[in-house]
Amino acid sequence: MPAITSDSWDDIAPARSVWLITLADLALLLVGFFVLLQANRTLDRDVLFAGMRAGFGVESPAVADPMAVARARVDGFAPGGTDADLRAVIDWARDVARDPRIRITVTGSTDPQGDVDPATGSAAILAADRARAVAAALVARRAVSPDRLILRVTPGTRRAVTLSVGFAGDSHLQSGDIR
């Protein structure tokens, strides 16, 4: 066993607590950030954020999903089929789409057990076809304009199409944003 000498690290007491130094660093960073914002308040907001993204090496801003506030589901699809009764969901979508700040995410899905597209054998293609069929019906019946729809696919969860109403705020998604 090595002998303990008087110059070991345990005997040296720090002059300040480590957490205090960390707290002071955090406070200074926060103050610096607010000074940066205050000094650049006359700049265009988009230009400022683009410069910050470039400084951190981010090429393009991430598009955040709208905050979901309500959901509806279309069930009743036959295995491998894309037809279902859409009357109730069209009325529902027409009602919720009165607010111009919302977007509707249409998510097509398939049953995990053999629910596939008959022509291709793909569950993902069938899920996309179901979402597209519901979205097309919403647009054809003038319940929702196409630029307020976001299409998604989640194969292997259930034989349905889920519609999520999301609050996108005043900044609108780009026209034709289908992901």
Side-chain angles (χ1 to χ4, degrees), residues 1-2 4 6 17-18 20 22 28 31-32 38 42 56 60 74 76 95 100 108 113-114 118 127 150 165 168 170 172:
M1 179 173 203
I4 299 176
S6 63
S17 297
V18 176
L20 185 60
T22 304
L28 286 174
V31 167
Q38 186 67 22
T42 58
F56 286 105
S60 64
V74 178
D95 184 48
Q113 305 299 325
I150 301 169
V165 175
D170 293 329
H172 300 296

Side-chain angles (χ1 to χ4, degrees), residues 99-118:
D99 186 347
R101 300 171 297 173
I102 65 105
R103 302 293 175 263
I104 297 179
T105 302
V106 181
T107 306
S109 57
T110 58
D111 190 43
Q113 305 299 325
D115 190 21
V116 295
D117 179 58

Side-chain angles (χ1 to χ4, degrees), residues 15-98:
R16 291 182 185 90
S17 297
V18 176
W19 67 266
L20 185 60
I21 295 170
T22 304
L23 181 64
D25 288 341
L26 179 64
L28 286 174
L29 286 171
L30 190 59
V31 167
F33 179 70
F34 286 126
V35 167
L36 173 74
L37 289 178
Q38 186 67 22
N40 292 313
R41 68 181 180 170
T42 58
L43 288 177
D44 183 16
R45 182 176 180 226
D46 294 331
V47 172
L48 176 64
F49 288 149
M52 291 177 125
R53 280 192 301 273
F56 286 105
V58 177
E59 293 180 14
S60 64
V63 178
D65 287 339
M67 180 179 67
V69 294
R71 292 182 195 256
R73 187 172 57 228
V74 178
D75 290 314
F77 290 98
T82 59
D83 294 328
D85 183 15
L86 302 177
R87 288 177 293 193
V89 79
I90 288 172
D91 292 339
W92 175 84
R94 184 175 285 124
D95 184 48
V96 298
R98 286 182 290 159

Side-chain angles (χ1 to χ4, degrees), residues 8 27 46 126 128:
S8 70
D46 294 331
L126 179 60

